[in-house]
Amino acid sequence: QPVSGGGAPDAASASAGESETMWICPMFCVPPTSEPGRCPVCGMELVPAASGSASGPSSKIEIDARARRVAGIETVIAREEMLTRQIRGVGEIEVDESRMKTLSAYIDGRIEELYADFTGVRVARGDSLAMLYSPELYAAQVEFVNTLKYAGENAGGNPRVAASNQRLVTSSRERLIEMGMTEEQIQQIEADKAASRRVALHAPISGTVIEKLAVTGQYVKAGAPIYRLADLSSVWLVLELFPEDAATIKLGQQVTASMQSRPDVTLEGTVEFVEPVVDPNMRTVGVRVALENADGQLRPGEFAHATMEVPLLSENGMARPAIVVPRHSLLSVGETSLIYVEEKEGEFHLRKVRTGPTADAMVAILSGLEAGESVVARSAFLVDAQMQLQGNPSLIDPDKAIVPTVASPDTTGEGTATTSEEIRKALEPLSPDDRALAEQQVICPVTEAPLGSGGMGTPIKVDVGGREVFICCEGCRGSLLKEPEKYLQVLDDYSANGSDSEPSHEHPPMKSPDNQLPRMELPQMELPGMELPETKTPN
């Protein structure tokens, strides 16, 4: 025989379970409600919220080990390291301009002989490269020889005459030097006491003849170039980089390069100069890298690939480390960046961070995170989705405020109510009279949510039959004007129950089933008549 009232506990538990279930809009238009239905703003069907949302928004979420394994949530430790990025460039091998010399004729004359008679020949400093005949130089040598003779003959005579002769010797000697003769050549003339009709031109440096500008028998003017020499033991690699890359390059930066002709050989060099202007045609900046070329394998005109590792963060000109996490740990929208930090086992906290530069798969965190903390590295979007289902701050609304329970009027009968910071800011744009009316009304009659909460902004005033009523958003206007008596009764009931010591519910229910979206009627379409061809039946 069944026990009387045996079904009561089940009914009680069922009703308790229903009352604990909160319903939310998939688009998060309004705060969670205790009754199912449709969202009064977007019209979408409300869905049950995840457990724990009834306690109000929170910046943390707890996920058990089983759910964590199913979701594939993994964490990594935020670490401090030097964040660098790689800059690649292509450049051309050029002659080091500081190691170039030009051999020119100091006086007018005729080239009698060219000893370095082709481009590319290597010479040593002091080698004879050409023989030049010059009547002017010959006359200067004869004058020098004569002054030497006169000075020697009158060395023991009148001191004043001897001093004058010595001045003439010095003047003649300096003239020969100005005509391009070397000290060794002048000493040879002093020893032989004879002038030479031809003078040898010597290499000013050791290097390679990169340009031959005269031929044998050619008459040249004073200052005309005959050879151009270059010391190729050190060459330049001139890279063309984009301005944003060149801005990170510092003098002394180490560079690794490889030649197209020798891809298996790695070359090491240093940055010596960064051009101060941008090429108007290429829109690039030249970066000069010095490379050693002792074996002479680096040929000017050849192209090379270069790679540089540059630090992304610096302070007072010095590179500094940064706290880095994987890029897929970061959730970003607009200028807002979020990460989830596991402060305890299974307890994940939402953090707003300020990010810095990125390199490869890592991103620098400038503030909001400390080294050694555990951050979600995989399935961060699943953790964020769970936060959204619980009505907590998330990527969609990271600044979501916790809406407190609206307090009942105090015993003085003034009808004032405590509001959150969000509600206070939402009511600030209203005039003093409208603000007092909104504070007295407290809730929106359609959604029954506190005015100014849930990110709905400043309440909107609507005239309903001569009575001024505030609604949370424009989405509630149609419902209010369609059934004004129903929603005015909601406000009257709320005002009448305001003197109770406890509110009838923590989150005012949303009477959504009555707020169905209007059915859309499509016009009838008339299709053109189609006549089928006649078919003949067989006999």
Side-chain angles (χ1 to χ4, degrees):
Q1 184 176 3
V3 180
S4 176
D10 294 337
S13 61
S15 63
E18 292 176 358
S19 63
E20 292 177 359
T21 302
M22 301 299 295
W23 300 81
I24 61 174
C25 171
M27 299 301 294
F28 304 97
C29 301
V30 294
T33 179
S34 59
E35 294 187 7
R38 286 184 177 273
C39 174
V41 178
C42 66
M44 296 184 68
E45 192 75 28
L46 301 181
V47 296
S51 60
S53 62
S55 59
S58 173
S59 62
K60 68 177 181 179
I61 186 174
E62 295 183 6
I63 302 177
D64 57 33
R66 179 179 176 277
R68 181 172 183 170
R69 288 194 301 271
V70 172
I73 299 174
E74 297 179 0
T75 59
V76 296
I77 302 300
R79 64 182 186 271
E80 190 176 54
E81 66 179 33
M82 191 71 70
L83 199 61
T84 62
R85 71 182 180 98
Q86 197 174 75
I87 297 178
R88 298 178 180 271
V90 178
E92 183 180 355
I93 299 296
E94 296 183 5
V95 177
D96 187 343
E97 295 176 0
S98 64
R99 296 171 178 262
M100 292 181 63
K101 295 289 184 180
T102 299
L103 180 62
S104 303
Y106 283 83
I107 55 176
D108 298 345
R110 183 181 74 249
I111 297 177
E112 296 286 329
E113 190 71 34
L114 288 177
Y115 300 116
D117 53 356
F118 62 91
T119 301
V121 62
R122 294 187 179 183
V123 299
R125 180 175 182 176
D127 287 353
S128 295
L129 301 184
M131 189 67 70
L132 180 70
Y133 167 74
S134 173
E136 183 180 356
L137 180 60
Y138 177 73
Q141 293 181 44
V142 171
E143 179 183 349
F144 178 63
V145 171
N146 291 334
T147 55
L148 288 176
K149 290 181 179 180
Y150 294 148
E153 292 174 357
N154 299 318
N158 191 331
R160 296 182 61 183
V161 174
S164 176
N165 290 336
Q166 189 59 40
R167 286 194 296 270
L168 290 175
V169 171
T170 302
S171 177
S172 299
R173 185 186 185 90
E174 290 179 351
R175 186 182 179 190
L176 292 178
I177 293 176
E178 291 176 357
M179 289 183 172
M181 296 193 70
T182 63
E183 185 65 29
E184 292 78 5
Q185 290 173 329
I186 297 175
Q187 291 177 0
Q188 186 65 37
I189 294 175
E190 288 180 342
D192 297 342
K193 297 293 189 299
S196 175
R197 297 181 179 274
R198 297 173 180 83
V199 62
L201 302 181
H202 298 279
I205 59 171
S206 298
T208 303
V209 176
I210 61 173
E211 199 170 358
K212 177 172 160 294
L213 303 172
V215 295
T216 302
Q218 178 180 344
Y219 282 88
V220 293
K221 293 290 186 180
I226 301 174
Y227 291 107
R228 283 199 175 91
L229 309 177
D231 181 4
L232 300 181
S233 61
S234 176
V235 295
W236 285 345
L237 171 59
V238 180
L239 302 172
E240 297 295 334
L241 302 180
F242 291 113
E244 56 269 23
D245 291 335
T248 62
I249 303 299
K250 305 296 181 184
L251 297 183
Q253 172 79 45
Q254 295 296 315
V255 179
T256 302
S258 62
M259 306 293 298
Q260 289 184 340
S261 60
R262 306 169 66 194
D264 55 331
V265 178
T266 301
L267 306 173
E268 301 290 338
T270 56
V271 175
E272 285 192 344
F273 183 73
V274 179
E275 292 185 3
V277 296
V278 178
D279 189 307
N281 297 321
M282 300 289 293
R283 307 307 303 168
T284 56
V285 176
V287 176
R288 190 181 301 162
V289 181
L291 298 176
E292 293 298 326
N293 187 31
D295 57 356
Q297 296 297 318
L298 304 181
R299 301 177 179 87
E302 189 173 0
F303 287 98
H305 297 272
T307 303
M308 290 163 279
E309 294 285 341
V310 297
L312 292 181
L313 291 176
S314 60
E315 187 174 353
N316 297 327
M318 301 295 293
R320 67 176 181 88
I323 299 172
V324 298
V325 297
R327 293 180 64 177
H328 47 262
S329 296
L330 204 65
L331 301 178
S332 300
V333 57
E335 297 182 354
T336 302
S337 298
L338 307 173
I339 59 173
Y340 282 94
V341 181
E342 187 178 19
E343 296 188 359
K344 297 180 182 178
E345 184 69 27
E347 184 177 294
F348 299 91
H349 289 248
L350 180 66
R351 294 269 190 92
K352 193 181 271 191
V353 296
R354 185 166 63 93
T355 60
T358 61
D360 297 330
M362 308 300 288
V363 59
I365 304 298
L366 304 181
S367 64
L369 185 68
E370 298 294 334
E373 292 190 289
S374 179
V375 300
V376 176
R378 184 179 178 185
S379 301
F381 273 105
L382 295 180
V383 179
D384 190 73
Q386 188 72 7
M387 289 284 283
Q388 295 177 26
L389 290 176
Q390 291 192 4
N392 292 334
S394 61
L395 183 61
I396 292 180
D397 187 7
D399 298 318
K400 186 173 185 179
I402 299 176
V403 181
T405 302
V406 179
S408 58
D410 57 15
T411 56
T412 62
E414 296 179 357
T416 58
T418 59
T419 59
S420 66
E421 182 67 16
E422 180 188 12
I423 295 177
R424 185 187 67 79
K425 290 183 178 180
L427 299 183
E428 277 184 354
L430 298 176
S431 64
D433 294 339
D434 288 346
R435 180 171 181 177
L437 181 59
E439 290 177 348
Q440 184 178 4
Q441 180 180 318
V442 181
I443 65 171
C444 171
V446 180
T447 63
E448 298 189 27
L451 294 172
S453 65
M456 302 306 292
T458 303
I460 301 171
K461 185 169 66 173
V462 180
D463 189 301
V464 183
R467 178 175 174 179
E468 294 180 341
V469 176
F470 283 91
I471 56 177
C472 60
C473 63
E474 283 291 345
C476 299
R477 184 189 293 269
S479 300
L480 176 62
L481 298 180
K482 183 178 179 180
E483 299 178 283
E485 296 83 3
K486 172 185 175 180
Y487 294 113
L488 291 179
Q489 186 61 41
V490 172
L491 293 179
D492 294 339
D493 293 343
Y494 182 84
S495 178
N497 296 331
S499 58
D500 297 341
S501 57
E502 295 182 0
S504 58
H505 46 262
E506 293 183 358
H507 298 275
M510 187 183 299
K511 307 297 185 179
S512 300
D514 298 327
N515 298 332
Q516 302 292 341
L517 292 178
R519 180 173 300 176
M520 298 179 64
E521 298 183 359
L522 299 177
Q524 298 294 329
M525 298 179 62
E526 296 183 1
L527 298 177
M530 298 179 62
E531 296 182 358
L532 298 176
E534 295 183 358
T535 58
K536 295 183 179 181
T537 57
N539 293 331

